[in-house]
Amino acid sequence: MATPTRTPTGFSGLDRPAGWRRPRGFVSPAALERPLGSLPGVGASLERKLRKLGLETPADLLGHRPHRYEEAVPELRIGDLVGEEEVVVTGIVESVRSRRARGRLTIQKATIASAGASIPAVWFNQPWLVERLPVGSEVRLRGHVRRGEFHVRAYDVSRVSATADFAPVYPASEELPARRLRELVEAVLPEVRFLPDPLPARLAERERLPSRGDALHALHRPGSLEEAERGRRRLAFDELLVLQLGLARRGREREAAVAPSLGTPGELTERYRRALPFVLTPEQESAIGELDVDLARRVPMQRLLQGDVGSGKTVVALYALLRAVGAGSQGALMAPTETLAEQHFLTIEGLCADLGVRCVLLTSGLPARVRAAAQAELAAGDAQLAVGTHALIQEHVAFHDLAVAVVDEQHRFGVQQRQALSGGRSPHVLHMTATPIPRTLALTVYGDLQVTEIARPPANRRPVITSWVTESRSSEAYRRLRRLLEQGRQAYVVCPLIERSERSEARAAEEETERLRRGELRDFRVGCLHGRLRPVERRKVMARFKARELDVLVATTVIEVGVDVPNATVMIVQEADRFGLAQLHQLRGRVGRGAEQSYCLLVSRAKEELTGAGRARLEALVRTTDGFELAEVDLELRGEGQLLGTRQAGLSELRFTRLRADRPLLERARVAALELVDEAGPLDDEVERLFGGADDAALA
Ligand code: ADP
Ligand code: MG
């Protein structure tokens, strides 16, 4: 077997193969932003299919990362070709032409000869080949023989490299096969070599990184897998540098700010501990220990408290808030939605009353009069704690003396951070997230935060038992649900995800509620919760469910976060295959919050109708309740960039980074970013062009 064993000869861009022609004029980055419809042979329908894959410009195409490369296949001489297995051949182009077949289809044929034998080679829809394969040039082809013709899957016009051996395989769609994508990438690839490189030359040199253009070229047409990997690493470096620049800038600003030192814990937090109906877990204790250290300093705390749903973060967050109160200052708890803010308030209010701490709720759903009163109390320092939505607290509350802010479930703290900094004083900030993000990713996304992780839930918690049935057996799921309801438990039924609009989703939830009231759940009290309900109504439904006046809550994903009813021990998720893994995990976190055994029943379409990834998601959920493990699975199934966490963080997609493998690269990008930020002069234009958006991206 003649697998190519050539050593990589640097980047293919260094030795420009015969047949390359430099495009006329300088190719500016703007040219790479033109619509793909401007490429020859790309019509409206193809353009639409491309758009569905997120590919709208040549730049997008170039950024479409192959998820793997074809394995090398044996090399044969043309004279020895028999059978139809995939092989590599080399030869000289004797003739080449392109002709139109039916419709849009064009066929390219070249005669390839070597050692006295020749064979017609066939391509489809690549009219530019005629220019790229001049007669007399040497080519290397990968493909197979069918009816006396060599059908080319990949080709290479360079003598020295073996790019045809490692044909890229792109993430494709049903309507748009990887082969077609390969052809299109091929069409735009020449443009890339003339792109300016935004990375300062001395940095590129020190990091021993290839130019961006060469890296892109190597990514799509590597001469070896090592070359592809080096290209990918350069592109990953750029991505990571963008992120780290944003973080570094933010970090530098923060270092200039000052926060009040809160000293050591006092009597209030002692009483708080005693008032809790349980003992804190060792994980919670160590989180609190870290907070105490932070809060004693005058450097504003920036800590991320990460823990799976139900791991007991809120208890820790309230501790931080009470530390502020104990020191005579104020605390604020900010949630991303009204429902969540209300939930937090319900949890906290009672405890605060017992401790003699005045806590007020601030949401836009409140009557204006009530809200104004709360604002006045906070301004005067009569109320010590505020619970509300981000928007409201940040924009409409002037605190008497805010010392600790807890930001829940969100990563949109940048803006607020800036405002708080403008006076040079900053509160200590604790960010909470229940989105399990693998540690590697956390460093990328929260590189400027200290991370505290609550890895284990309270011990009295039993893992939720999850099972997966297909629709044909959904009546079985409802039978199990009814049995548990008869035992006095409560349940959630999650309605299918409807992407069209919140309105149609709400309507579907209401219809489903009616259907269940008449059908499977006719002997039970069924309520409905969705995003179109007014806050008052929503609160009422939630309160009734909490008070056990309702047995079942039919809901949209609004219950995804925050809802905490320990007696609800069973959940049915309809059409579970439509949800993302992280989302299903969040949903499931609504049960299993008490000491009782809880169940989650996933109902999906027939297994044959599911994609491989869809099946893998549901299997993973059945297998484990560990959020971090699921996050890793998600990472594998979807690629790092699409992880919920990064999207929430508003970060540009991480397309090229492989977080686990790229840890050292990440460290280098951090160092480089700090250097760039500290350099006296402004970044030069090219760097700004590529990296200028970094700040906003990381803060959005
Ligand atoms: P998270 O905010 O991480 O989702 P919560 O703080 O809301 O989790 O806690 C989930 C549930 O577990 C709550 O009902 C809470 O009262 C309870 N809980 C928290 N800490 C403990 C503990 N140490 N022991 C027992 N139950 C706890
Ligand atoms: Mg919580």
Side-chain angles (χ1 to χ4, degrees):
M1 178 154 151
T3 31
T5 52
R6 295 154 217 239
T7 44
T9 50
F11 281 82
S12 23
L14 296 182
D15 39 310
R16 185 183 307 177
W20 277 114
R21 264 194 275 146
R22 186 183 172 118
R24 238 165 301 143
F26 177 73
V27 178
S28 73
L32 287 172
E33 300 298 336
R34 68 192 190 274
L36 283 175
S38 64
L39 290 175
V42 179
S45 116
L46 179 54
E47 214 177 353
R48 201 165 43 243
K49 291 172 189 169
L50 286 164
R51 200 172 306 122
K52 279 196 198 157
L53 284 172
L55 306 173
E56 300 188 8
T57 65
D60 293 338
L61 264 181
L62 291 170
H64 199 51
R65 179 168 74 83
H67 54 73
R68 64 182 181 86
Y69 296 89
E70 301 271 11
E71 302 208 1
V73 289
E75 178 167 356
L76 291 184
R77 283 191 301 219
I78 290 176
D80 296 340
L81 284 172
V82 281
E84 295 200 355
E85 78 276 28
E86 195 155 323
V87 293
V88 166
V89 298
T90 51
I92 304 290
V93 178
E94 288 194 332
S95 70
V96 58
R97 67 194 164 85
S98 177
R99 72 178 170 81
R100 184 166 284 278
R102 58 201 140 71
R104 283 188 180 280
L105 180 72
T106 62
I107 298 178
Q108 292 71 42
K109 265 192 196 178
T111 305
I112 311 295
S114 165
S118 72
I119 190 165
V122 183
W123 289 259
F124 299 99
N125 294 321
Q126 301 181 66
W128 54 84
L129 276 175
V130 177
E131 269 190 23
R132 254 187 236 179
L133 301 178
V135 170
S137 62
E138 184 173 7
V139 287
R140 187 174 174 87
L141 308 176
R142 175 183 174 133
H144 63 272
V145 178
R146 192 189 297 160
R147 282 189 229 110
E149 291 181 330
F150 195 83
H151 286 250
V152 180
R153 294 194 57 186
Y155 71 97
D156 179 15
V157 285
S158 165
R159 269 171 297 108
V160 290
S161 70
T163 64
D165 297 33
F166 304 101
V169 182
Y170 296 98
S173 65
E174 268 162 42
E175 340 167 280
L176 200 53
R179 180 186 45 77
R180 190 77 182 97
L181 284 168
R182 203 181 287 165
E183 292 163 12
L184 289 163
V185 170
E186 200 64 34
V188 298
L189 201 52
E191 304 184 13
V192 89
R193 307 164 145 252
F194 308 100
L195 269 181
D197 196 319
L199 207 60
R202 92 198 121 65
L203 195 58
E205 204 167 302
R206 186 185 74 195
E207 300 293 334
R208 310 180 119 264
L209 293 167
S211 78
R212 194 174 162 83
D214 283 348
L216 281 166
H217 194 269
L219 184 81
H220 294 290
R221 298 199 64 198
S224 67
L225 293 180
E226 292 78 14
E227 197 179 285
E229 172 60 13
R230 279 178 63 202
R232 183 198 67 77
R233 271 208 301 270
R234 157 69 210 253
L235 299 168
F237 185 83
D238 287 3
E239 270 177 0
L240 292 169
L241 187 61
V242 169
L243 286 183
Q244 297 304 320
L245 268 175
L247 295 174
R249 283 180 185 163
R250 200 161 68 193
R252 286 287 182 263
E253 282 172 9
R254 198 179 290 136
E255 276 164 22
V258 178
S261 161
L262 300 183
T264 50
E267 166 271 341
L268 178 62
T269 43
E270 254 327 296
R271 281 196 286 132
Y272 171 57
R273 283 167 177 280
R274 283 201 302 272
L276 288 173
F278 44 74
V279 183
L280 295 179
T281 64
E283 304 256 339
Q284 288 169 323
E285 287 293 357
S286 83
I288 282 175
E290 291 178 338
L291 290 178
D292 281 335
V293 173
D294 288 354
L295 296 176
R297 300 169 63 206
R298 297 181 62 80
V299 179
M301 172 174 78
Q302 284 293 336
R303 188 169 282 282
L304 175 72
L305 181 60
Q306 208 183 345
D308 219 338
V309 269
S311 61
K313 294 183 297 296
T314 312
V315 176
V316 174
L318 185 52
Y319 175 90
L321 294 171
L322 290 173
R323 285 294 318 275
V325 179
S329 301
Q330 292 170 302
L333 173 53
M334 295 180 252
T337 66
E338 303 249 319
T339 317
L340 251 180
E342 286 157 13
Q343 282 292 320
H344 276 309
F345 187 69
L346 285 178
T347 315
I348 289 173
E349 192 192 23
L351 256 171
C352 283
D354 291 346
L355 297 172
V357 171
R358 172 83 181 137
C359 178
V360 294
L361 176 68
L362 272 171
T363 59
S364 50
L366 291 173
R369 193 173 31 82
V370 178
R371 216 168 67 201
Q375 282 162 323
E377 281 190 73
L378 289 166
D382 296 338
Q384 286 106 13
L385 291 186
V387 178
T389 52
H390 296 257
L392 217 75
I393 289 191
Q394 284 169 31
E395 283 156 39
H396 302 287
V397 181
F399 286 90
H400 178 66
D401 178 20
L402 181 66
V404 174
V406 174
V407 184
D408 187 20
E409 293 289 351
Q410 270 300 348
H411 317 274
R412 263 193 265 127
F413 46 84
V415 180
Q416 159 242 342
Q417 196 48 29
R418 297 225 151 152
Q419 290 171 348
L421 282 173
S422 56
R425 267 177 68 88
S426 170
H428 295 287
V429 183
L430 180 68
H431 309 273
M432 281 204 289
T433 177
T435 306
I437 295 179
R439 225 154 289 155
T440 40
L441 185 58
L443 185 65
T444 316
V445 179
Y446 311 110
D448 58 338
L449 302 187
Q450 305 293 313
V451 179
T452 297
E453 194 180 290
I454 301 187
R456 230 182 309 251
N460 65 355
R461 210 57 64 62
R462 294 201 228 167
V464 178
I465 295 177
T466 304
S467 41
W468 167 24
V469 297
T470 51
E471 263 155 16
S472 57
R473 290 171 55 212
S474 74
S475 60
E476 207 171 288
Y478 281 98
R479 216 171 16 249
R480 283 171 68 183
L481 183 91
R482 284 197 299 269
R483 219 167 32 232
L484 288 158
L485 293 175
E486 278 156 12
Q487 292 166 16
R489 304 273 94 82
Q490 290 165 282
Y492 301 103
V493 174
V494 180
C495 294
L497 204 59
I498 295 170
E499 269 157 20
R500 280 196 307 279
S501 73
E502 199 178 52
R503 183 189 300 267
S504 49
E505 193 160 272
R507 187 167 343 102
E510 276 162 7
E511 282 168 15
E512 184 59 14
T513 306
E514 276 317 308
R515 196 187 69 76
L516 289 169
R517 275 180 186 147
R518 284 194 306 270
E520 281 98 332
L521 302 177
R522 65 181 155 274
D523 299 328
F524 300 94
R525 297 161 297 175
V526 182
C528 181
L529 192 70
H530 56 71
R532 295 285 290 185
L533 290 178
R534 281 183 295 134
V536 202
E537 297 172 287
R538 212 161 54 207
R539 263 202 302 276
K540 216 183 297 170
V541 175
M542 276 314 303
R544 289 182 64 204
F545 189 60
K546 259 197 153 152
R548 302 201 189 183
E549 289 166 23
L550 294 172
D551 302 302
V552 181
L553 207 53
V554 177
T556 59
T557 51
V558 294
I559 62 157
E560 194 179 332
V561 277
V563 176
D564 187 9
V565 180
N567 190 49
T569 60
V570 53
M571 165 177 288
I572 287 185
V573 184
Q574 299 177 336
E575 299 190 24
D577 51 294
R578 290 184 179 224
F579 295 88
L581 187 48
Q583 198 169 26
L584 286 168
H585 178 63
Q586 291 282 338
L587 284 168
R588 180 168 63 177
R590 298 307 109 207
V591 295
R593 299 177 78 82
E596 294 291 336
Q597 179 61 59
S598 289
Y599 303 89
C600 176
L601 311 170
L602 306 171
V603 181
S604 80
R605 288 174 292 167
K607 292 196 183 178
E608 305 78 59
E609 289 177 47
L610 303 184
T611 60
R615 235 182 277 190
R617 284 203 297 271
L618 298 177
E619 277 162 6
L621 281 157
V622 171
R623 188 172 64 238
T624 182
T625 52
D626 181 331
F628 287 89
E629 190 181 331
L630 289 171
E632 298 278 352
V633 172
D634 211 16
L635 205 63
E636 253 147 55
L637 290 176
R638 305 210 286 169
E640 356 246 352
Q642 289 167 28
L643 246 201
L644 182 62
T646 51
R647 278 231 194 281
Q648 280 182 345
L651 299 170
S652 49
E653 283 188 30
L654 291 179
R655 244 180 280 182
F656 300 105
T657 306
R658 292 204 188 113
L659 287 161
R660 267 163 295 175
D662 288 341
R663 190 62 176 264
L665 198 66
L666 172 59
E667 299 294 347
R668 279 158 58 190
R670 276 163 81 87
V671 172
L674 286 169
E675 284 172 13
L676 286 173
V677 166
D678 285 342
E679 264 166 25
L683 299 177
D684 51 77
D685 286 355
E686 290 303 346
V687 181
E688 276 295 344
R689 190 173 307 159
L690 179 67
F691 301 136
D695 217 21
D696 301 335
L699 297 178

